[in-house]
């Protein structure tokens, strides 16, 4: 019975997370899919066309830089509407009110998953050692039976 409660609790957490992800879809970067959070250095920026992105060094800056490098003449475009975009077009957006996603629960669950993966690895290693020991014991048993006959 306890397992059913644990499973239903985990299922509810997953459903709640999925619901939050759908609700938060409008506050994710189109390029890196990162959510604007209270930590991690993501700040909100826009291009001339008005499309919003998060601004870690590796996101919209990299997009524009890579496209300019590939095209050679520094002409690049917004990844959403394809209007011209340059590094100089990036503007930090300072909203009156910005709701950030609290990632504390997700970070705790990620750590829990990593701990479980580590335990699984330990159990696999122990199983391999036990199988090896069993194999050696079987070999010794066959030898001992051979010497008795």
């Amino acid at each position: 019975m306890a397992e059913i409660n644990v499973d239903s609790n985990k299922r509810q957490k997953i459903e709640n997370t999925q619901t939050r992800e759908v609700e938060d879809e409008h506050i994710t970067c189109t390029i890196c899919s990162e959510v604007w959070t209270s930590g991690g250095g993501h700040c909100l920026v826009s291009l001339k066309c008005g499309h919003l992105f998060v601004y870690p060094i590796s996101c919209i800056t990299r997009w524009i830089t890579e496209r300019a490098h590939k095209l050679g003449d520094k002409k690049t475009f917004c990844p959403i509407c394809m209007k011209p975009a340059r590094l100089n077009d990036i503007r930090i957006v300072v909203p009156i009110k910005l709701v950030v996603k609290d990632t504390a629960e997700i970070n705790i669950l990620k750590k829990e998953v990593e701990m479980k993966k580590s335990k699984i690895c330990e159990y696999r290693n122990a199983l391999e050692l036990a199988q090896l020991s069993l194999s050696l014991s079987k070999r010794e048993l066959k030898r001992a039976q051979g010497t008795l006959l």
Side-chain angles (χ1 to χ4, degrees), residues 56-95:
I57 298 300
S58 63
C59 188
I60 190 64
T61 304
R62 185 176 66 186
W63 170 271
I64 291 174
T65 305
E66 285 177 1
R67 296 308 177 277
H69 180 69
K70 285 180 183 177
L71 297 173
D73 58 356
K74 302 272 184 195
K75 289 183 183 175
T76 189
F77 48 87
C78 170
I80 298 172
C81 68
M82 307 304 268
K83 289 185 179 176
R86 298 175 298 158
L87 289 174
N88 293 343
D89 295 336
I90 297 173
R91 299 288 181 257
I92 294 176
V93 175
V94 184

mmCIF file of all heavy atoms in Angstrom, residues 56-95:
data_model
loop_
_atom_site.group_PDB
_atom_site.id
_atom_site.type_symbol
_atom_site.label_atom_id
_atom_site.label_comp_id
_atom_site.label_asym_id
_atom_site.label_seq_id
_atom_site.Cartn_x
_atom_site.Cartn_y
_atom_site.Cartn_z
ATOM 1 N N PRO A 56 22.266 34.585 -21.868
ATOM 2 C CA PRO A 56 23.590 34.132 -21.454
ATOM 3 C C PRO A 56 24.497 34.336 -22.668
ATOM 4 O O PRO A 56 24.003 34.470 -23.785
ATOM 5 C CB PRO A 56 23.383 32.644 -21.151
ATOM 6 C CG PRO A 56 22.230 32.267 -22.008
ATOM 7 C CD PRO A 56 21.384 33.496 -22.159
ATOM 8 N N ILE A 57 25.746 34.351 -22.475
ATOM 9 C CA ILE A 57 26.692 34.594 -23.559
ATOM 10 C C ILE A 57 26.450 33.617 -24.713
ATOM 11 O O ILE A 57 26.602 33.960 -25.865
ATOM 12 C CB ILE A 57 28.148 34.466 -23.039
ATOM 13 C CG1 ILE A 57 28.418 35.512 -21.970
ATOM 14 C CG2 ILE A 57 29.150 34.580 -24.163
ATOM 15 C CD1 ILE A 57 28.270 36.943 -22.402
ATOM 16 N N SER A 58 26.037 32.404 -24.412
ATOM 17 C CA SER A 58 25.942 31.384 -25.454
ATOM 18 C C SER A 58 24.598 31.341 -26.172
ATOM 19 O O SER A 58 24.367 30.434 -26.934
ATOM 20 C CB SER A 58 26.211 30.015 -24.829
ATOM 21 O OG SER A 58 25.223 29.727 -23.874
ATOM 22 N N CYS A 59 23.725 32.292 -25.978
ATOM 23 C CA CYS A 59 22.385 32.188 -26.560
ATOM 24 C C CYS A 59 22.235 33.072 -27.793
ATOM 25 O O CYS A 59 22.724 32.748 -28.865
ATOM 26 C CB CYS A 59 21.351 32.515 -25.492
ATOM 27 S SG CYS A 59 19.681 32.200 -25.993
ATOM 28 N N ILE A 60 21.558 34.200 -27.676
ATOM 29 C CA ILE A 60 21.268 35.048 -28.840
ATOM 30 C C ILE A 60 22.549 35.639 -29.421
ATOM 31 O O ILE A 60 22.677 35.787 -30.638
ATOM 32 C CB ILE A 60 20.215 36.137 -28.532
ATOM 33 C CG1 ILE A 60 19.744 36.845 -29.797
ATOM 34 C CG2 ILE A 60 20.731 37.122 -27.506
ATOM 35 C CD1 ILE A 60 19.014 35.947 -30.773
ATOM 36 N N THR A 61 23.524 35.931 -28.568
ATOM 37 C CA THR A 61 24.799 36.453 -29.061
ATOM 38 C C THR A 61 25.472 35.427 -29.962
ATOM 39 O O THR A 61 25.936 35.754 -31.056
ATOM 40 C CB THR A 61 25.742 36.800 -27.884
ATOM 41 O OG1 THR A 61 25.076 37.707 -27.030
ATOM 42 C CG2 THR A 61 27.030 37.396 -28.374
ATOM 43 N N ARG A 62 25.507 34.183 -29.501
ATOM 44 C CA ARG A 62 26.125 33.123 -30.303
ATOM 45 C C ARG A 62 25.347 32.923 -31.594
ATOM 46 O O ARG A 62 25.928 32.738 -32.653
ATOM 47 C CB ARG A 62 26.193 31.826 -29.508
ATOM 48 C CG ARG A 62 26.934 30.735 -30.274
ATOM 49 C CD ARG A 62 27.094 29.488 -29.468
ATOM 50 N NE ARG A 62 25.776 28.907 -29.240
ATOM 51 C CZ ARG A 62 25.541 27.866 -28.474
ATOM 52 N NH1 ARG A 62 26.527 27.303 -27.826
ATOM 53 N NH2 ARG A 62 24.340 27.379 -28.328
ATOM 54 N N TRP A 63 24.013 32.960 -31.515
ATOM 55 C CA TRP A 63 23.174 32.792 -32.704
ATOM 56 C C TRP A 63 23.556 33.823 -33.770
ATOM 57 O O TRP A 63 23.825 33.485 -34.916
ATOM 58 C CB TRP A 63 21.705 32.933 -32.327
ATOM 59 C CG TRP A 63 20.785 33.009 -33.501
ATOM 60 C CD1 TRP A 63 20.402 34.133 -34.167
ATOM 61 C CD2 TRP A 63 20.164 31.929 -34.189
ATOM 62 N NE1 TRP A 63 19.562 33.829 -35.206
ATOM 63 C CE2 TRP A 63 19.407 32.469 -35.245
ATOM 64 C CE3 TRP A 63 20.167 30.552 -34.009
ATOM 65 C CZ2 TRP A 63 18.663 31.690 -36.111
ATOM 66 C CZ3 TRP A 63 19.412 29.782 -34.872
ATOM 67 C CH2 TRP A 63 18.680 30.348 -35.919
ATOM 68 N N ILE A 64 23.598 35.090 -33.365
ATOM 69 C CA ILE A 64 23.895 36.168 -34.317
ATOM 70 C C ILE A 64 25.327 36.053 -34.829
ATOM 71 O O ILE A 64 25.595 36.166 -36.020
ATOM 72 C CB ILE A 64 23.631 37.549 -33.673
ATOM 73 C CG1 ILE A 64 22.122 37.730 -33.476
ATOM 74 C CG2 ILE A 64 24.200 38.665 -34.529
ATOM 75 C CD1 ILE A 64 21.746 38.991 -32.709
ATOM 76 N N THR A 65 26.266 35.797 -33.923
ATOM 77 C CA THR A 65 27.676 35.704 -34.301
ATOM 78 C C THR A 65 27.912 34.550 -35.280
ATOM 79 O O THR A 65 28.600 34.727 -36.297
ATOM 80 C CB THR A 65 28.559 35.517 -33.054
ATOM 81 O OG1 THR A 65 28.291 36.587 -32.145
ATOM 82 C CG2 THR A 65 30.023 35.503 -33.402
ATOM 83 N N GLU A 66 27.348 33.376 -34.984
ATOM 84 C CA GLU A 66 27.535 32.225 -35.872
ATOM 85 C C GLU A 66 26.920 32.467 -37.242
ATOM 86 O O GLU A 66 27.504 32.130 -38.266
ATOM 87 C CB GLU A 66 26.929 30.965 -35.248
ATOM 88 C CG GLU A 66 27.756 30.403 -34.118
ATOM 89 C CD GLU A 66 27.107 29.195 -33.463
ATOM 90 O OE1 GLU A 66 26.005 28.771 -33.893
ATOM 91 O OE2 GLU A 66 27.701 28.668 -32.514
ATOM 92 N N ARG A 67 25.725 33.056 -37.267
ATOM 93 C CA ARG A 67 25.077 33.312 -38.552
ATOM 94 C C ARG A 67 25.861 34.350 -39.357
ATOM 95 O O ARG A 67 26.027 34.212 -40.561
ATOM 96 C CB ARG A 67 23.632 33.800 -38.367
ATOM 97 C CG ARG A 67 22.676 32.810 -37.733
ATOM 98 C CD ARG A 67 22.696 31.482 -38.442
ATOM 99 N NE ARG A 67 21.875 30.464 -37.858
ATOM 100 C CZ ARG A 67 22.198 29.674 -36.837
ATOM 101 N NH1 ARG A 67 23.343 29.801 -36.222
ATOM 102 N NH2 ARG A 67 21.386 28.737 -36.421
ATOM 103 N N ALA A 68 26.356 35.380 -38.691
ATOM 104 C CA ALA A 68 27.144 36.407 -39.373
ATOM 105 C C ALA A 68 28.424 35.793 -39.937
ATOM 106 O O ALA A 68 28.835 36.100 -41.054
ATOM 107 C CB ALA A 68 27.466 37.548 -38.421
ATOM 108 N N HIS A 69 29.049 34.910 -39.165
ATOM 109 C CA HIS A 69 30.286 34.266 -39.618
ATOM 110 C C HIS A 69 30.020 33.374 -40.837
ATOM 111 O O HIS A 69 30.783 33.386 -41.804
ATOM 112 C CB HIS A 69 30.899 33.451 -38.484
ATOM 113 C CG HIS A 69 32.163 32.759 -38.859
ATOM 114 N ND1 HIS A 69 33.335 33.441 -39.107
ATOM 115 C CD2 HIS A 69 32.434 31.442 -39.050
ATOM 116 C CE1 HIS A 69 34.280 32.570 -39.426
ATOM 117 N NE2 HIS A 69 33.755 31.345 -39.397
ATOM 118 N N LYS A 70 28.920 32.622 -40.793
ATOM 119 C CA LYS A 70 28.591 31.728 -41.907
ATOM 120 C C LYS A 70 28.245 32.511 -43.172
ATOM 121 O O LYS A 70 28.608 32.116 -44.270
ATOM 122 C CB LYS A 70 27.417 30.824 -41.537
ATOM 123 C CG LYS A 70 27.785 29.713 -40.602
ATOM 124 C CD LYS A 70 26.585 28.851 -40.269
ATOM 125 C CE LYS A 70 26.969 27.778 -39.275
ATOM 126 N NZ LYS A 70 25.822 26.966 -38.868
ATOM 127 N N LEU A 71 27.539 33.620 -42.992
ATOM 128 C CA LEU A 71 27.120 34.398 -44.152
ATOM 129 C C LEU A 71 28.214 35.346 -44.632
ATOM 130 O O LEU A 71 28.148 35.856 -45.743
ATOM 131 C CB LEU A 71 25.836 35.173 -43.832
ATOM 132 C CG LEU A 71 24.625 34.292 -43.505
ATOM 133 C CD1 LEU A 71 23.460 35.138 -43.049
ATOM 134 C CD2 LEU A 71 24.236 33.433 -44.694
ATOM 135 N N GLY A 72 29.183 35.627 -43.772
ATOM 136 C CA GLY A 72 30.357 36.371 -44.182
ATOM 137 C C GLY A 72 30.219 37.877 -44.195
ATOM 138 O O GLY A 72 31.165 38.582 -43.952
ATOM 139 N N ASP A 73 29.054 38.410 -44.474
ATOM 140 C CA ASP A 73 28.951 39.865 -44.584
ATOM 141 C C ASP A 73 28.194 40.486 -43.409
ATOM 142 O O ASP A 73 27.592 41.547 -43.532
ATOM 143 C CB ASP A 73 28.301 40.262 -45.916
ATOM 144 C CG ASP A 73 26.913 39.660 -46.080
ATOM 145 O OD1 ASP A 73 26.494 38.874 -45.204
ATOM 146 O OD2 ASP A 73 26.257 39.983 -47.078
ATOM 147 N N LYS A 74 28.205 39.812 -42.279
ATOM 148 C CA LYS A 74 27.618 40.308 -41.042
ATOM 149 C C LYS A 74 26.099 40.476 -41.123
ATOM 150 O O LYS A 74 25.499 41.099 -40.283
ATOM 151 C CB LYS A 74 28.259 41.641 -40.607
ATOM 152 C CG LYS A 74 29.739 41.575 -40.394
ATOM 153 C CD LYS A 74 30.062 41.165 -39.000
ATOM 154 C CE LYS A 74 31.568 41.221 -38.811
ATOM 155 N NZ LYS A 74 32.026 40.547 -37.682
ATOM 156 N N LYS A 75 25.454 39.929 -42.163
ATOM 157 C CA LYS A 75 23.996 39.976 -42.231
ATOM 158 C C LYS A 75 23.456 38.728 -41.568
ATOM 159 O O LYS A 75 23.830 37.614 -41.919
ATOM 160 C CB LYS A 75 23.511 40.033 -43.684
ATOM 161 C CG LYS A 75 23.789 41.342 -44.351
ATOM 162 C CD LYS A 75 23.223 41.338 -45.746
ATOM 163 C CE LYS A 75 23.567 42.634 -46.447
ATOM 164 N NZ LYS A 75 23.134 42.616 -47.846
ATOM 165 N N THR A 76 22.608 38.913 -40.613
ATOM 166 C CA THR A 76 21.964 37.786 -39.954
ATOM 167 C C THR A 76 20.531 38.180 -39.644
ATOM 168 O O THR A 76 20.098 39.273 -39.995
ATOM 169 C CB THR A 76 22.751 37.339 -38.706
ATOM 170 O OG1 THR A 76 22.208 36.118 -38.233
ATOM 171 C CG2 THR A 76 22.734 38.381 -37.633
ATOM 172 N N PHE A 77 19.805 37.295 -38.956
ATOM 173 C CA PHE A 77 18.376 37.498 -38.807
ATOM 174 C C PHE A 77 17.877 36.948 -37.483
ATOM 175 O O PHE A 77 18.531 36.141 -36.840
ATOM 176 C CB PHE A 77 17.651 36.804 -39.962
ATOM 177 C CG PHE A 77 18.134 35.400 -40.178
ATOM 178 C CD1 PHE A 77 17.583 34.344 -39.478
ATOM 179 C CD2 PHE A 77 19.165 35.139 -41.055
ATOM 180 C CE1 PHE A 77 18.042 33.052 -39.653
ATOM 181 C CE2 PHE A 77 19.641 33.840 -41.238
ATOM 182 C CZ PHE A 77 19.065 32.798 -40.529
ATOM 183 N N CYS A 78 16.683 37.409 -37.103
ATOM 184 C CA CYS A 78 16.011 36.908 -35.906
ATOM 185 C C CYS A 78 15.621 35.451 -36.159
ATOM 186 O O CYS A 78 15.087 35.135 -37.218
ATOM 187 C CB CYS A 78 14.767 37.747 -35.630
ATOM 188 S SG CYS A 78 13.697 37.046 -34.343
ATOM 189 N N PRO A 79 15.869 34.558 -35.197
ATOM 190 C CA PRO A 79 15.529 33.148 -35.408
ATOM 191 C C PRO A 79 14.022 32.888 -35.461
ATOM 192 O O PRO A 79 13.600 31.818 -35.875
ATOM 193 C CB PRO A 79 16.163 32.437 -34.217
ATOM 194 C CG PRO A 79 16.376 33.485 -33.200
ATOM 195 C CD PRO A 79 16.546 34.773 -33.925
ATOM 196 N N ILE A 80 13.211 33.867 -35.094
ATOM 197 C CA ILE A 80 11.762 33.674 -35.099
ATOM 198 C C ILE A 80 11.121 34.260 -36.350
ATOM 199 O O ILE A 80 10.412 33.575 -37.079
ATOM 200 C CB ILE A 80 11.119 34.296 -33.836
ATOM 201 C CG1 ILE A 80 11.656 33.588 -32.591
ATOM 202 C CG2 ILE A 80 9.592 34.194 -33.899
ATOM 203 C CD1 ILE A 80 11.247 34.212 -31.294
ATOM 204 N N CYS A 81 11.374 35.537 -36.624
ATOM 205 C CA CYS A 81 10.666 36.204 -37.725
ATOM 206 C C CYS A 81 11.529 36.443 -38.956
ATOM 207 O O CYS A 81 11.037 36.933 -39.974
ATOM 208 C CB CYS A 81 10.084 37.527 -37.244
ATOM 209 S SG CYS A 81 11.332 38.767 -36.846
ATOM 210 N N MET A 82 12.829 36.142 -38.842
ATOM 211 C CA MET A 82 13.773 36.282 -39.953
ATOM 212 C C MET A 82 14.043 37.735 -40.360
ATOM 213 O O MET A 82 14.587 37.974 -41.429
ATOM 214 C CB MET A 82 13.317 35.475 -41.174
ATOM 215 C CG MET A 82 13.017 34.014 -40.866
ATOM 216 S SD MET A 82 14.398 33.167 -40.100
ATOM 217 C CE MET A 82 15.199 32.528 -41.537
ATOM 218 N N LYS A 83 13.678 38.699 -39.530
ATOM 219 C CA LYS A 83 14.013 40.095 -39.819
ATOM 220 C C LYS A 83 15.486 40.310 -39.492
ATOM 221 O O LYS A 83 16.055 39.625 -38.642
ATOM 222 C CB LYS A 83 13.137 41.041 -38.993
ATOM 223 C CG LYS A 83 11.704 41.063 -39.462
ATOM 224 C CD LYS A 83 10.893 42.093 -38.705
ATOM 225 C CE LYS A 83 9.458 42.096 -39.228
ATOM 226 N NZ LYS A 83 8.619 43.001 -38.470
ATOM 227 N N PRO A 84 16.131 41.275 -40.148
ATOM 228 C CA PRO A 84 17.558 41.521 -39.892
ATOM 229 C C PRO A 84 17.838 41.758 -38.406
ATOM 230 O O PRO A 84 17.057 42.405 -37.712
ATOM 231 C CB PRO A 84 17.853 42.776 -40.715
ATOM 232 C CG PRO A 84 16.808 42.796 -41.765
ATOM 233 C CD PRO A 84 15.583 42.184 -41.156
ATOM 234 N N ALA A 85 18.963 41.217 -37.949
ATOM 235 C CA ALA A 85 19.360 41.382 -36.548
ATOM 236 C C ALA A 85 20.880 41.446 -36.477
ATOM 237 O O ALA A 85 21.577 40.735 -37.187
ATOM 238 C CB ALA A 85 18.835 40.225 -35.715
ATOM 239 N N ARG A 86 21.361 42.331 -35.599
ATOM 240 C CA ARG A 86 22.802 42.464 -35.355
ATOM 241 C C ARG A 86 23.038 42.464 -33.856
ATOM 242 O O ARG A 86 22.104 42.644 -33.068
ATOM 243 C CB ARG A 86 23.315 43.789 -35.943
ATOM 244 C CG ARG A 86 23.149 43.897 -37.445
ATOM 245 C CD ARG A 86 23.554 45.265 -37.946
ATOM 246 N NE ARG A 86 22.678 46.257 -37.323
ATOM 247 C CZ ARG A 86 22.982 47.543 -37.183
ATOM 248 N NH1 ARG A 86 24.123 48.003 -37.608
ATOM 249 N NH2 ARG A 86 22.145 48.365 -36.609
ATOM 250 N N LEU A 87 24.280 42.304 -33.464
ATOM 251 C CA LEU A 87 24.609 42.347 -32.040
ATOM 252 C C LEU A 87 24.205 43.682 -31.426
ATOM 253 O O LEU A 87 23.776 43.740 -30.270
ATOM 254 C CB LEU A 87 26.105 42.095 -31.820
ATOM 255 C CG LEU A 87 26.590 40.666 -32.075
ATOM 256 C CD1 LEU A 87 28.102 40.590 -31.956
ATOM 257 C CD2 LEU A 87 25.930 39.694 -31.114
ATOM 258 N N ASN A 88 24.328 44.756 -32.203
ATOM 259 C CA ASN A 88 23.958 46.087 -31.702
ATOM 260 C C ASN A 88 22.458 46.213 -31.452
ATOM 261 O O ASN A 88 22.015 47.136 -30.770
ATOM 262 C CB ASN A 88 24.395 47.176 -32.683
ATOM 263 C CG ASN A 88 25.900 47.288 -32.767
ATOM 264 O OD1 ASN A 88 26.612 46.801 -31.896
ATOM 265 N ND2 ASN A 88 26.383 47.925 -33.812
ATOM 266 N N ASP A 89 21.666 45.320 -32.015
ATOM 267 C CA ASP A 89 20.210 45.368 -31.840
ATOM 268 C C ASP A 89 19.754 44.775 -30.509
ATOM 269 O O ASP A 89 18.604 44.936 -30.121
ATOM 270 C CB ASP A 89 19.505 44.609 -32.975
ATOM 271 C CG ASP A 89 19.716 45.258 -34.329
ATOM 272 O OD1 ASP A 89 19.984 46.475 -34.367
ATOM 273 O OD2 ASP A 89 19.608 44.537 -35.345
ATOM 274 N N ILE A 90 20.632 44.057 -29.825
ATOM 275 C CA ILE A 90 20.246 43.414 -28.564
ATOM 276 C C ILE A 90 20.045 44.476 -27.492
ATOM 277 O O ILE A 90 20.923 45.296 -27.233
ATOM 278 C CB ILE A 90 21.311 42.390 -28.119
ATOM 279 C CG1 ILE A 90 21.425 41.272 -29.140
ATOM 280 C CG2 ILE A 90 20.977 41.827 -26.741
ATOM 281 C CD1 ILE A 90 22.556 40.299 -28.868
ATOM 282 N N ARG A 91 18.872 44.461 -26.893
ATOM 283 C CA ARG A 91 18.535 45.416 -25.838
ATOM 284 C C ARG A 91 18.069 44.667 -24.600
ATOM 285 O O ARG A 91 17.225 43.767 -24.698
ATOM 286 C CB ARG A 91 17.395 46.347 -26.290
ATOM 287 C CG ARG A 91 17.718 47.177 -27.509
ATOM 288 C CD ARG A 91 18.736 48.275 -27.155
ATOM 289 N NE ARG A 91 19.039 49.092 -28.312
ATOM 290 C CZ ARG A 91 20.141 49.000 -29.022
ATOM 291 N NH1 ARG A 91 21.046 48.117 -28.703
ATOM 292 N NH2 ARG A 91 20.363 49.784 -30.043
ATOM 293 N N ILE A 92 18.600 45.034 -23.463
ATOM 294 C CA ILE A 92 18.157 44.431 -22.208
ATOM 295 C C ILE A 92 16.761 44.959 -21.902
ATOM 296 O O ILE A 92 16.501 46.157 -21.989
ATOM 297 C CB ILE A 92 19.128 44.752 -21.055
ATOM 298 C CG1 ILE A 92 20.472 44.079 -21.329
ATOM 299 C CG2 ILE A 92 18.555 44.297 -19.719
ATOM 300 C CD1 ILE A 92 21.544 44.395 -20.311
ATOM 301 N N VAL A 93 15.864 44.047 -21.556
ATOM 302 C CA VAL A 93 14.489 44.411 -21.223
ATOM 303 C C VAL A 93 14.396 44.507 -19.708
ATOM 304 O O VAL A 93 14.772 43.580 -18.995
ATOM 305 C CB VAL A 93 13.496 43.356 -21.753
ATOM 306 C CG1 VAL A 93 12.083 43.673 -21.311
ATOM 307 C CG2 VAL A 93 13.590 43.259 -23.262
ATOM 308 N N VAL A 94 13.894 45.624 -19.231
ATOM 309 C CA VAL A 94 13.709 45.819 -17.802
ATOM 310 C C VAL A 94 12.204 45.920 -17.548
ATOM 311 O O VAL A 94 11.623 46.989 -17.622
ATOM 312 C CB VAL A 94 14.426 47.097 -17.308
ATOM 313 C CG1 VAL A 94 14.310 47.219 -15.798
ATOM 314 C CG2 VAL A 94 15.882 47.087 -17.734
ATOM 315 N N PRO A 95 11.572 44.785 -17.287
ATOM 316 C CA PRO A 95 10.124 44.804 -17.103
ATOM 317 C C PRO A 95 9.739 45.389 -15.751
ATOM 318 O O PRO A 95 10.534 45.387 -14.810
ATOM 319 C CB PRO A 95 9.752 43.327 -17.176
ATOM 320 C CG PRO A 95 10.979 42.607 -16.750
ATOM 321 C CD PRO A 95 12.135 43.461 -17.181
#
